Amino acid sequence: MYLDSTGDKAIGLLSNGEEISMEYGGEAMAHAFDAYDVGAIWANYDYDLSNAVPETLTINGKTHVCKKYSVDSLYGGTSIWSASVDGKPMAVQIKYNDIQGNSMLYQLWDWG
């Protein structure tokens, strides 16, 4: 995802190797990775976040030592990889799965 200079609006994204510009709706997407506390993402749900599994990811040439949290439901599942980036804990990867086997993967490619 590409953000404008304020960091408050997504102006484009890279999907399956293709750059896509965004003309609307970018405000909500701009904050997809703002969760400095992974628990804030699921704050409205009663999920046990103590099931973190250590996992190392390499995203855009950067290695992140992560804690992976996963939640499954009747409708699919979600996994969040949380790591410290520049001293701030944040989600570096989020993956959503539905019951049909479709998935969406979001990765933090750059920060700062």
Side-chain angles (χ1 to χ4, degrees):
M1 187 170 314
Y2 303 102
L3 305 178
D4 69 359
S5 60
T6 67
D8 288 328
K9 183 176 181 185
I11 57 175
L13 56 94
L14 184 67
S15 177
N16 294 326
E18 179 183 347
E19 287 190 5
I20 302 169
S21 64
M22 298 178 67
E23 296 180 18
Y24 62 92
E27 289 82 1
M29 290 187 74
H31 298 285
F33 291 97
D34 280 357
Y36 294 154
D37 175 359
V38 72
I41 294 173
W42 289 327
N44 295 324
Y45 304 97
D46 187 21
Y47 291 135
D48 179 11
L49 295 179
S50 64
N51 63 339
V53 175
E55 190 170 324
T56 301
L57 296 178
T58 300
I59 301 171
N60 196 28
K62 296 177 182 84
T63 300
H64 303 284
V65 178
C66 304
K67 291 182 180 178
K68 179 183 176 185
Y69 299 90
S70 296
V71 173
D72 292 317
S73 73
L74 184 63
Y75 306 103
T78 302
S79 294
I80 297 176
W81 289 258
S82 177
S84 180
V85 180
D86 293 336
K88 297 179 180 92
M90 66 179 66
V92 295
Q93 181 167 284
I94 303 171
K95 183 175 184 181
Y96 300 103
N97 300 303
D98 67 19
I99 58 174
Q100 287 84 25
N102 302 307
S103 65
M104 293 188 324
L105 180 70
Y106 298 94
Q107 295 180 318
L108 180 69
W109 274 56
D110 205 354
W111 174 260

